[in-house]
Amino acid sequence: MHKRAVAPSVLSMDYSDTGASLDMLENSQADWLHFDVMDGHFVPNLTFGPDILKGMRKKFSGVLDVHLMTTDPARWVGPFRKAGADLITFHTEALNNNPDAVNALLEEIRSQGLRAGFSVKPGTPIEGFASCLPHADLVLVMSVEPGFGGQSFMEDQLDKVRWLADQRNSRDLDYRIEIDGGINENTWPQAVQAGVDTLVAGSWLFSGNLESKTTAMLHE
Ligand code: DX5
Ligand code: ZN
C-alpha cells in the first residue's frame, strides 16, 4: 500500500502572485505538485513548458508530478527532467494506444532516473495495457476529458481504478494509482474507496481553505 498523496494541480493556482502561491503549497501538507503540460494539439488548451517548472522547482521541495498532454511525449522527457521533474506521465493515445510503444517510453523515462507513468483518457479502455503495468511507477486515470480544470467527475472511470487495484494485488505489482479531474469533497472518498492513492485536485482545492481540505484528504 502506498501512502496517500495529494497533488494540487497548478493549473488552478493564482498566477497573479505565483511566489506566494508556491510558498503556501510548500508549507501545506501536500507533498506533491501536479503540473499539467498542454500543447494545444493533443488537447485544445495551452499551458506551461519546462522553464516554468524550473522556477517552481526552486520553491517546492516535494514531488513534481508532470502530466504531459502532448502529441509527442518522448520529446519532452529530457527538457522536463533537466527542469527538475520527479515523475513524468504521458498519454497512451499519443502513442496510438500501442502497449509496446508505451513500455518503451516508460523504460526511457526510467533510464533517465525519473519515475514513469502512463495515463488513459476516459474513452480509452485500460485492459489493453496489462503488459505495461510492471513498467510503470504510476497509472493515471482521467476522470474528466483532459484539457481544462473545473469539469464534473466521471464516476464510471472508477471501474478502471478497481481493475488497476486488482491487477496490482493479484500480480504483486507496486505502481501508484492516481486520479485527475473533478475531485472534490464528494468524489475523493469514492476514489480512495475504489483504490486511488494519489489524488490530483485543482479548482475545488484552490477555492477555499487548501490546508484544511488537504488535511481531510490525507487523514480522513
Ligand atoms: C485536466 C487536468 C487536471 C486539472 C484538474 O486536463 O489534467 O489536472 O487541473 O482540475 P479539476 O480538479 O478542477 O478538475
Ligand atoms: Zn492533470
Side-chain angles (χ1 to χ4, degrees), residues 9 11-12 34 36 38 67 69 142 144-151 180-183 200-204:
S9 171
L11 201 57
S12 293
H34 184 81
D36 285 310
M38 304 188 189
H67 177 193
M69 286 162 273
M142 288 306 300
V144 297
E145 280 303 330
F148 300 93
Q151 305 179 74
D180 184 8
I183 287 297
V200 177
S203 51
W204 168 74

Side-chain angles (χ1 to χ4, degrees), residues 1 31 35 61 90 188 218:
M1 274 299 262
D31 42 17
F35 190 85
S61 58
F90 60 88
W188 78 255
L218 285 172

Side-chain angles (χ1 to χ4, degrees), residues 66-80:
V66 172
H67 177 193
L68 293 180
M69 286 162 273
T70 66
T71 48
D72 189 2
R75 173 180 165 196
W76 297 110
V77 174
F80 279 105

Side-chain angles (χ1 to χ4, degrees), residues 81-98:
R81 176 184 56 76
K82 286 193 200 101
D86 295 294
L87 188 151
I88 294 184
T89 297
F90 60 88
H91 272 269
T92 63
E93 298 86 1
L95 301 176
N96 295 316
N97 288 319
N98 176 339

